[in-house]
Amino acid sequence: EVQLVESGGGLVQAGGSLRLSCLHSGFTFNDSAIGWFHRAPGKERVGISCISGSDGSTWYEDSVKGRFTISSDNTKNTVYLQMNDLRPEDTAVYYCAARPEKYGSPWTPITINYWGKGTPVTVSS
């Protein structure tokens, strides 16, 4: 059974940092891509970053480039999202997601096979 369990969300002031963790199990990371989406209040779920299990390549949505960093620790079956310089507009529920590796395929909700339950992040101004 595939499981994705997020942790690390919370309340932070603008300019602060948080690190989200996604503990994954039940699939082969080397054949997969894992990453993050967020859903702001009243908006659609949006892909913000992912990492390839096969070659470690990464992708970031434009609004988080230079502020967020995705990484993986294969010894712990965990993918991290380090979020720095947080802004009120980053307030959202953050979801870990995974799919088989699909090179060239956009990181969009319709391409995802597995979802975590989400962890909320609130950034106060």
Side-chain angles (χ1 to χ4, degrees), residues 1-58:
E1 179 187 4
V2 173
Q3 288 192 320
L4 303 171
V5 181
E6 305 97 335
S7 60
L11 173 64
V12 64
Q13 288 188 328
S17 299
L18 284 174
R19 188 177 77 160
L20 305 183
S21 300
C22 175
L23 176 63
H24 56 86
S25 61
F27 62 95
T28 303
F29 180 53
N30 286 351
D31 298 330
S32 304
I34 298 180
W36 298 88
F37 288 73
H38 72 189
R39 180 162 60 193
K43 296 189 177 181
E44 298 292 321
R45 202 173 298 199
V46 175
I48 56 171
S49 183
C50 64
I51 185 167
S52 166
S54 60
D55 63 10
S57 58
T58 59

Side-chain angles (χ1 to χ4, degrees), residues 5 11 20 23-24 28 35-36 46 57 59 67 69 74 83-84 96-97 100 102 107 110 112:
V5 181
L11 173 64
L20 305 183
L23 176 63
H24 56 86
T28 303
W36 298 88
V46 175
S57 58
W59 169 85
R67 301 189 298 125
T69 303
N74 295 344
M83 307 188 295
N84 298 329
C96 183
K102 299 176 183 177
W107 189 247
I110 198 171
I112 298 302

Side-chain angles (χ1 to χ4, degrees), residues 56-95:
S57 58
T58 59
W59 169 85
Y60 297 94
E61 196 271 335
D62 285 347
S63 69
V64 307
K65 284 181 181 176
R67 301 189 298 125
F68 292 10
T69 303
I70 192 169
S71 62
S72 67
D73 184 339
N74 295 344
T75 65
K76 296 182 179 179
N77 284 353
T78 301
V79 170
Y80 302 99
L81 186 68
Q82 178 67 43
M83 307 188 295
N84 298 329
D85 189 24
L86 283 161
R87 305 166 181 171
E89 54 264 39
D90 295 318
T91 294
V93 178
Y94 285 71
Y95 298 89

